Amino acid sequence: MTDYQKIDEEHYLPTYKRFPLTITHGKGSKVWDSEGKEYIDALAGIAVNSLGHSHPKVVEAIKAQAEKLIHISNFYLTEPQALLSEKLAELSGLPRVFFGNSGAEANEGAIKIARKYAHTHNRGGEIISFEGCFHGRTLATIATGKLSMQEGFEPIPEGFKTAPFNDIETLKSMISDQTAAVIIEPIQGEGGINVVDKDFMKQLRTLCDDNNIVLIFDEIQCGIGRTGYFFAKDYFGVQPDILTSAKALGSGVPISAIMTTEKISSVIKPGDHGTTFGGNALATAASLAAMKAIEEENLMGQATEKGQWFIDKIKENQPESIGIKGIRGMGLMLGFEFDRETKPIVEEMMNNGVLANATAETILRIVPPLNISYEDLEKVIEVMFKSAKKIRENA
């Protein structure tokens, strides 16, 4: 039998602390490894596979498009790219769209667009982000985040500041004529499933309006129906100037999008930005199929109902001994705060057939497919309790 783990260790850049699993295939909310063991996937590729694995409508769209046209240069237009632009403009209320390949790429593009707008209006290029944020791993996006991700990659690009989360008064004191944009995740993912305060978000919108500052919403993880809203911005009732999307946008096929207003996009001219692969025919066809399935199968409604059901079940049945201190999130973007590190719990859950994730040290992140069955959710809860209890007893 081929030792895939050994091949990986010998040849892949050692950027990941991988679990000792080689996943071979998946269907719905389940995946199987190379030894035939079945797992419930409560991580969904880190909030990517919102339709589960191998959704028939997405598979058919990919097959049909691959037989016709996979890729051409963005010197030319394809039908699925035009249709997806139109669809995202309709869903977001932001009429201009640009496609890329990843979340970090979308956020880099958003920063460029914001700086171009700011410079056109005689402002500086400073970008303000928030403590606990995560906007990607490129040089510019790590400049927005925590210092530990910047170590060893100096010199870090200049022009970035970090403000306290949900603190409007401190943010006001940081604003100047050098400020180009504020970038924020409506729900922080890697930071621990932290939901922005509604009043803060509305005050942030006003602050940006009053100072002609671009407001960027990073909905890479919380967008595309996961919170029960197509975009989380709709929960807050706040419209950003720029919104970035990726992850679930392609249902597993790499694609990202920048959506923006006519006002902001008016400063962009041919040659200001571009991409080779972004928005190619295959990726946009897959995304169109995913968007259609999310709407037709009422997955936003399912996210709301199943998320609340999951929380209620946890509260009703959790043994005091397992150490859950709090629950965060919306829809099926949930974080469970424990009184200790959650990595050992995640490893034990994997041993018991459930894939989950530890983030921000003490948070257990659950972001399953939106169409996961209640039966599978029951199993996730059972395994979470069992695993947390075992880790606590063995501590």
Side-chain angles (χ1 to χ4, degrees):
M1 178 181 285
T2 303
D3 188 341
Y4 297 105
Q5 295 288 326
K6 182 179 180 183
I7 293 171
D8 181 70
E9 290 170 6
E10 290 179 352
H11 298 292
Y12 200 85
L13 196 69
T15 55
Y16 305 112
K17 290 184 178 179
R18 297 194 202 266
F19 293 105
L21 298 182
T22 300
I23 304 298
T24 59
H25 61 289
K27 188 69 176 177
S29 58
K30 294 177 180 174
V31 295
W32 288 263
D33 69 14
S34 55
E35 296 182 357
K37 184 175 178 180
E38 178 183 287
Y39 302 84
I40 296 172
D41 186 4
L43 181 59
I46 315 180
V48 168
N49 302 312
S50 290
L51 294 170
H53 298 274
S54 304
H55 190 283
K57 292 178 181 176
V58 177
V59 170
E60 180 55 39
I62 292 171
K63 285 181 176 178
Q65 188 60 51
E67 289 176 348
K68 292 168 57 179
L69 179 71
I70 293 177
H71 177 81
I72 58 167
S73 164
N74 274 308
F75 286 127
Y76 315 103
L77 181 64
T78 66
E79 294 172 19
Q81 187 185 97
L83 293 174
L84 184 59
S85 296
E86 181 182 50
K87 185 63 177 176
L88 290 179
E90 172 195 324
L91 290 166
S92 69
L94 297 165
R96 291 289 176 177
V97 181
F98 178 87
F99 293 115
N101 306 284
S102 69
E105 185 181 339
N107 286 331
E108 284 257 8
I111 290 167
K112 280 184 68 178
I113 293 167
R115 283 182 166 171
K116 182 72 184 291
Y117 177 84
H119 295 331
T120 303
H121 291 80
N122 300 312
R123 298 186 65 85
E126 195 171 85
I127 309 296
I128 299 178
S129 57
F130 293 90
E131 292 174 359
C133 74
F134 178 81
H135 298 294
R137 294 183 186 272
T138 60
L139 278 173
T141 53
I142 64 171
T144 67
K146 54 187 179 183
L147 294 176
S148 61
M149 286 192 174
Q150 301 174 15
E151 293 173 2
F153 301 107
E154 298 86 356
I156 300 300
E158 298 179 350
F160 295 89
K161 286 185 177 180
T162 305
F165 189 67
N166 276 336
D167 184 343
I168 195 67
E169 294 305 320
T170 300
L171 179 61
K172 285 179 180 178
S173 71
M174 297 171 66
I175 297 293
S176 72
D177 61 4
Q178 293 303 302
T179 310
V182 175
I183 183 168
I184 188 168
E185 299 160 272
I187 304 177
Q188 291 184 337
E190 301 300 316
I193 317 297
N194 304 309
V195 183
V196 175
D197 180 77
K198 261 191 173 182
D199 288 338
F200 174 86
M201 196 70 98
K202 292 181 185 298
Q203 292 173 316
L204 174 58
R205 176 69 274 179
T206 300
L207 180 64
C208 289
D209 286 339
D210 290 346
N211 292 276
N212 200 22
I213 292 168
V214 178
L215 177 57
I216 305 169
F217 279 9
D218 174 349
E219 294 218 23
I220 305 301
Q221 188 166 153
C222 67
I224 318 296
R226 180 150 294 279
T227 63
Y229 297 83
F230 200 88
F231 290 114
K233 71 180 180 66
D234 296 326
Y235 163 76
F236 296 93
V238 173
Q239 183 76 329
D241 300 302
I242 301 176
L243 185 149
T244 58
S245 179
K247 288 192 180 289
L249 183 60
S251 195
V253 175
I255 183 172
S256 65
I258 303 168
M259 289 150 268
T260 185
T261 63
E262 290 286 3
K263 176 184 175 182
I264 302 301
S265 65
S266 66
V267 303
I268 298 299
K269 302 295 186 285
D272 280 349
H273 199 50
T275 171
T276 296
F277 293 107
N280 75 15
L282 188 70
T284 49
S287 182
L288 275 169
M291 300 305 97
K292 186 176 181 181
I294 287 171
E295 291 184 313
E296 289 181 349
E297 298 174 23
N298 187 32
L299 293 191
M300 287 178 281
Q302 288 195 47
T304 299
E305 292 167 12
K306 289 174 180 175
Q308 191 58 56
W309 179 90
F310 196 87
I311 290 171
D312 291 343
K313 283 286 185 181
I314 294 285
K315 289 180 176 178
E316 290 168 10
N317 299 294
Q318 65 169 311
E320 290 183 11
S321 60
I322 66 171
I324 295 179
K325 295 172 59 180
I327 302 173
R328 310 171 183 176
M330 289 174 57
L332 282 172
M333 184 175 181
L334 299 173
F336 298 88
E337 183 182 8
F338 280 77
D339 58 4
R340 60 196 179 283
E341 287 191 15
T342 50
K343 284 183 180 179
I345 299 173
V346 167
E347 290 174 1
E348 184 61 23
M349 288 177 70
M350 180 188 69
N351 293 337
N352 286 283
V354 172
L355 305 183
N357 175 250
T359 190
E361 296 186 0
T362 59
I363 306 300
L364 178 67
R365 176 167 47 178
I366 300 292
V367 284
L370 306 185
N371 53 7
I372 188 172
S373 69
Y374 284 99
E375 181 183 359
D376 283 348
L377 287 174
E378 284 267 22
K379 182 68 173 179
V380 172
I381 294 171
E382 176 191 327
V383 169
M384 182 195 301
F385 288 171
K386 176 183 176 181
S387 301
K389 184 173 183 289
K390 180 177 179 180
I391 295 301
R392 193 177 187 87
E393 289 173 348
N394 293 342

